[in-house]
Amino acid sequence: MRNRSVTHKLLSYRLQWYYELILEKIKRSKSIVIFFAILMLAPFGLFDAFLVQPIINIGYPKFPTFSIVFFMLILQAVFLFWVKIQEEAVSAPAVKKYFNALPISSFKHYLVNMTVLLVANNILWIPFLVALFKAPYSVMTDFIDQLLFVLNISALITSIFAMQLQWLYRHYYAFIFLLMVDLLLYVSYIIQNELYSFILSLSALILAALFVFPWRFQFAISKILSAKKRRKACQKSN
Amino acid sequence: MSKIQLKVQNLAKAFLLKKVFENLSFELTPGCYAILGPIGSGKSTLLSLLAGSISPDRGIITINGVSLEKRPVRAKKYLSYVPEGVHVYPFMTGHELINFIRCVKRSALSSETEKLLFEFGIKENLSQAFNQMTVETQRKCLIAAATLGNPDIYIFDQPTQELSDEAKDTLAEYLLTLQDKKIVIIVSSDMNFVNSLEAKKLSLDLNSLC
């Protein structure tokens, strides 16, 4: 019970910190915020043209060319920029020095970071949701196409979220693996076989998800390795 | 009961191209230690590493035989850290901070903490948020919070900064009572305070602390 309350308290402080800092930033740069809001919500549809349509194209490309990968890279860059401009509010570096020295497990810190990041991304998820509703399901001939669309979008969202997390933790090496998600998705588009496409899209999603919970992944790997070592040691002693 | 001990082996830390420590090893037993060295020699970095606030590039830190890297939660339970400056959420009240640390360390409000809060004269200020307190009250609050959970190792970075002479005396008096039982590590530019503690002076450089 107490452990749970530590995480809850930590989360509530972090969310309050985020809210106060963002509010202050918005107040300071009010005109820029209003300009972007008008640009996005304008009737000539910048929101649709620059965000929703590219996402739909990534999920279900009519003509899969390598440009899809660039679309993905641009989206990922936008999300990374979004985190960069909010970094002080999201990761609260001003209090890290003190709170990191307290006996709180790194996994709890990680959960809190993840939740704050989800909250910080709120606005940017909207085009993804719109894309999910506006997707041309009627054009998608069978269930597999629809499934692939949802799978591709999920892999993209997961890879973006993983990239943001790894950026906050300064684990830049993870980007190499996460960029492989884009390549896996691209190969899944150009491949003709539906089963292979499905497997590739699913692997892209799993690869991205591994970097959302890297400790769990590392823990599992280290357990497997130590079990192997133990087995070898037993064999030697026998 | 395990022996109170802080052991550092082959510690290395670098920031970009600047090496702060290369192969630092030392062992501390109960007593008061003041770490000395020129500005930029890595005194505060060393304290942050010992407190587990930042991670070393290489090396092992063990607290009472528990590795700070492998079992950080257990190892951190043995120590309290007061960094330089105030790294607390500005909207947090003194009460909230103390309750949070009690919750984290699973400890009750000790008589030592109560006494220190009383002697610092900040009991009435605890209902204020940190951004409404004076810097001196903020520092006093952090120092009092460091006594929660009966830690074995106290790590203070510039503890007397912004403190009045009276508060410095109270702190020195308190730390003197700990000397035989606990490890107290201090980085302070206030040599009068260091001398009043009769602390062992350790000089820090790239490879040694002696």
Side-chain angles (χ1 to χ4, degrees), chain A residues 11 32 45 68 83 94 109 131 144 170 174 180 185 203 228 232:
Chain A
L11 181 61
I32 299 173
I68 293 285
V83 170
H109 281 298
I144 291 286
R170 303 280 183 268
M180 275 170 63
L185 286 179
S203 345
K228 268 189 181 176
K232 271 187 183 174

Side-chain angles (χ1 to χ4, degrees), chain A residues 185 207 222:
Chain A
L185 286 179
L207 180 64
S222 69

Side-chain angles (χ1 to χ4, degrees), chain A residues 68-87:
Chain A
I68 293 285
V69 177
F70 288 108
F71 271 135
M72 287 191 259
L73 288 174
I74 288 167
L75 265 176
Q76 285 159 342
V78 167
F79 271 75
L80 280 182
F81 178 69
W82 184 250
V83 170
K84 177 72 194 140
I85 57 172
Q86 297 188 90
E87 199 164 357

Side-chain angles (χ1 to χ4, degrees), chain A residues 2-3 5-6 9-10 12-14 16-17 20 92-106, chain B residues 48 51-53 73 76-77 79 81 83 87-92 96-97 99-101 103-106 142 145:
Chain A
R2 262 189 173 164
N3 271 342
S5 74
V6 168
K9 279 182 182 174
L10 205 59
S12 72
Y13 294 139
R14 280 290 296 280
Q16 196 175 339
W17 167 265
E20 286 188 6
V95 297
K96 255 186 187 169
K97 203 171 188 181
Y98 186 69
F99 283 82
N100 280 2
L102 294 174
I104 301 168
S105 74
S106 44
Chain B
S48 298
S53 181
V73 177
K76 284 176 188 174
K77 273 185 185 161
L79 60 88
Y81 173 50
H87 302 267
V88 177
Y89 294 107
F91 49 80
M92 229 175 166
E96 276 176 334
L97 178 78
N99 285 337
F100 181 71
I101 292 174
C103 197
V104 168
K105 293 193 171 178
R106 300 177 185 201
L142 284 173

Side-chain angles (χ1 to χ4, degrees), chain A residues 212-223:
Chain A
V212 174
F213 289 101
W215 285 318
R216 294 258 164 121
F217 172 51
Q218 284 165 14
F219 181 68
I221 297 270
S222 69
K223 266 204 156 182

Side-chain angles (χ1 to χ4, degrees), chain A:
Chain A
M1 189 68 194
R2 262 189 173 164
N3 271 342
R4 244 178 75 188
S5 74
V6 168
T7 319
H8 284 181
K9 279 182 182 174
L10 205 59
L11 181 61
S12 72
Y13 294 139
R14 280 290 296 280
L15 287 175
Q16 196 175 339
W17 167 265
Y18 174 78
Y19 171 76
E20 286 188 6
L21 236 74
I22 289 296
L23 211 66
E24 201 188 300
K25 273 196 174 183
I26 289 173
K27 273 181 195 165
R28 250 190 284 145
S29 43
K30 219 184 281 173
S31 48
I32 299 173
V33 174
I34 292 170
F35 174 73
F36 271 102
I38 291 171
L39 212 64
M40 283 295 135
L41 301 171
F44 44 89
L46 276 181
F47 175 75
D48 192 66
F50 284 104
L51 287 168
V52 180
Q53 284 308 323
I55 293 170
I56 292 175
N57 270 336
I58 290 167
Y60 185 68
K62 284 174 211 158
F63 310 105
T65 59
F66 199 70
S67 60
I68 293 285
V69 177
F70 288 108
F71 271 135
M72 287 191 259
L73 288 174
I74 288 167
L75 265 176
Q76 285 159 342
V78 167
F79 271 75
L80 280 182
F81 178 69
W82 184 250
V83 170
K84 177 72 194 140
I85 57 172
Q86 297 188 90
E87 199 164 357
E88 201 190 338
V90 172
S91 61
V95 297
K96 255 186 187 169
K97 203 171 188 181
Y98 186 69
F99 283 82
N100 280 2
L102 294 174
I104 301 168
S105 74
S106 44
F107 187 66
K108 278 180 193 161
H109 281 298
Y110 194 73
L111 277 181
V112 170
N113 282 338
M114 241 167 69
T115 317
V116 177
L117 197 55
L118 278 172
V119 172
N121 276 333
N122 255 344
I123 298 171
L124 284 190
W125 297 133
I126 295 170
F128 278 97
L129 282 175
V130 176
L132 276 175
F133 282 111
K134 280 186 79 175
Y137 294 110
S138 54
V139 183
M140 297 175 194
T141 46
D142 52 20
F143 173 71
I144 291 286
D145 276 348
Q146 293 172 4
L147 185 70
L148 277 174
F149 174 78
V150 175
L151 213 57
N152 291 341
I153 294 287
S154 308
L156 182 66
I157 292 175
T158 315
S159 78
I160 286 172
F161 189 58
M163 269 187 179
Q164 289 178 322
L165 268 173
Q166 301 309 324
W167 172 276
L168 286 181
Y169 278 86
R170 303 280 183 268
H171 293 161
Y172 301 120
Y173 67 89
F175 280 48
I176 300 162
F177 297 98
L178 288 167
L179 289 174
M180 275 170 63
V181 171
D182 298 356
L183 285 176
L184 281 173
L185 286 179
Y186 174 65
V187 178
S188 88
Y189 298 144
I190 54 170
I191 220 158
Q192 295 300 319
N193 190 307
E194 278 182 340
L195 179 69
Y196 289 144
S197 285
F198 175 78
I199 291 170
L200 283 167
S201 295
L202 190 67
S203 345
L205 176 63
I206 291 169
L207 180 64
L210 288 177
F211 285 90
V212 174
F213 289 101
W215 285 318
R216 294 258 164 121
F217 172 51
Q218 284 165 14
F219 181 68
I221 297 270
S222 69
K223 266 204 156 182
I224 294 165
L225 290 177
S226 60
K228 268 189 181 176
K229 266 185 192 171
R230 245 180 284 137
R231 230 177 288 140
K232 271 187 183 174
C234 277
Q235 280 170 355
K236 269 186 186 174
S237 64
N238 288 337

